Amino acid sequence: MRLCFHRPKVGVALSGGGSRGLAHIGVLKVIEREGIPVHFLAGTSMGGVIAAGYAAGLGTAYLEAEALRMGKLRNLARLIDRSFSNQGLLRGQRIREYFEHQLGGATFADLRIPLALIAVDLIKGEEVILKEGSIADALRATISLPGVFVPFHMNEWLLVDGGVLNNLPADVVRRMGADVVIAVDVSVRLQDYSQLLRKGKHRLLPIAVETLTETLQRTVGIMERQLVAQKLAQARPEVLIEPMLDNDINLLSGFAKVADCIAAGENAAVAALPAIRQVLRSRLDFPRFRAAQRKVQTYSSAVKKVDASISGL
């Protein structure tokens, strides 16, 4: 009787986190270098931006070079288009055009790797999973941080940043068909919020404004963390990677520390390689024995959490 190996399908989920999401490039660099296949990608906000570029075949070398270029203030400033609406500070049209140019006007159907991007519909209050049509439009939706970008109209939806409901879409990439899910979370840990906010305070701001800002950001962080924990419990990713980023890297400030963010992601992924290899080996089995092996295999039911830090961060 002829027996064939079943090669597990690997899905990678990349979280939102503003400039902290540049660490995703480092994670993908290691995955690419080690020849680990990626069959599905899902991303929220900045995680969606990096996932889209990789799915389109831009490659990690290009993504890194472009991140370093855009990390310069004069280049970032070109993407700013002030909004005169009370729905957000920025119109977001220039950044949408930037995505369109970088991806060559590609649609989801043009991608090398199946991709899902996460947004939230303000009208129905529901998560929206974007998997067809213009990628530039989907990216403009998934990065629409409330208050910063004007919400994006698409079909019958009024879309904002997917991190409002699903900042780490491990459950989405699981439903896409992944046997093995690698989830990468770059959000700020709750215990780091106070230190982050102390570093980020502006001395010229009144104490009352600083206190209000700290309370608001910590509240949002707690909500986000609780939602991520719930999604992880549902998806049960085989490997969870949490790059250790400097506490003063927040939604925007990290664009001045592109190399550090990427290095943190790379180091975290290297630390995770034994866990990734172990689970891939455990899933590489003969079809006739797979059912029996599931009864004794417990590795996939536990989250393998990997933290890594780099010198100087």
Side-chain angles (χ1 to χ4, degrees), residues 211-273:
T211 302
L212 177 61
T213 302
E214 179 172 345
T215 301
L216 178 60
Q217 291 194 39
R218 187 168 180 81
T219 300
V220 172
I222 291 171
M223 293 169 59
E224 182 180 279
R225 273 292 176 180
Q226 291 294 330
L227 289 170
V228 167
Q230 292 174 14
K231 292 293 186 180
L232 289 176
Q234 295 171 9
R236 296 189 299 175
E238 281 66 31
V239 180
L240 174 61
I241 302 175
E242 295 183 303
M244 297 297 290
L245 293 155
D246 196 354
N247 289 332
D248 65 357
I249 297 176
N250 55 35
L251 290 177
L252 298 175
S253 69
F255 288 110
K257 295 187 174 183
V258 174
D260 291 344
C261 291
I262 294 174
E266 192 167 358
N267 278 274
V270 168
L273 281 175

Side-chain angles (χ1 to χ4, degrees), residues 190-201 214 218 246-248:
L190 291 181
Q191 61 267 35
D192 292 336
Y193 262 92
S194 294
Q195 185 177 353
L196 181 152
L197 291 166
R198 282 197 298 271
K199 286 186 177 183
K201 285 183 178 180
E214 179 172 345
R218 187 168 180 81
D246 196 354
N247 289 332
D248 65 357

Side-chain angles (χ1 to χ4, degrees), residues 9 114 120 131 136 150 175 199 203 207 212 232 293 300 308:
K9 300 290 185 181
V120 170
K131 295 194 290 185
V150 172
R175 291 197 301 272
K199 286 186 177 183
R203 292 181 181 177
I207 294 176
L212 177 61
L232 289 176
Q293 287 184 343
S300 65

Side-chain angles (χ1 to χ4, degrees), residues 45 139-152 159-162 164:
S45 199
L139 288 175
R140 169 62 178 83
T142 192
I143 67 162
S144 297
L145 188 66
V148 177
F149 288 100
V150 172
F152 188 68
L159 300 175
V160 295
D161 194 312
V164 171

Side-chain angles (χ1 to χ4, degrees), residues 55-66:
L58 295 182
T60 55
Y62 180 85
L63 292 175
E64 182 172 15
E66 183 62 14

Side-chain angles (χ1 to χ4, degrees), residues 23 29 32 71 74 100 112 122 156-157 161-162 226 237 252 256:
K29 280 179 67 176
E32 185 176 78
R74 66 177 180 273
E100 187 80 7
R112 290 187 313 117
L122 284 181
E156 72 277 16
W157 302 310
D161 194 312
Q226 291 294 330
L252 298 175

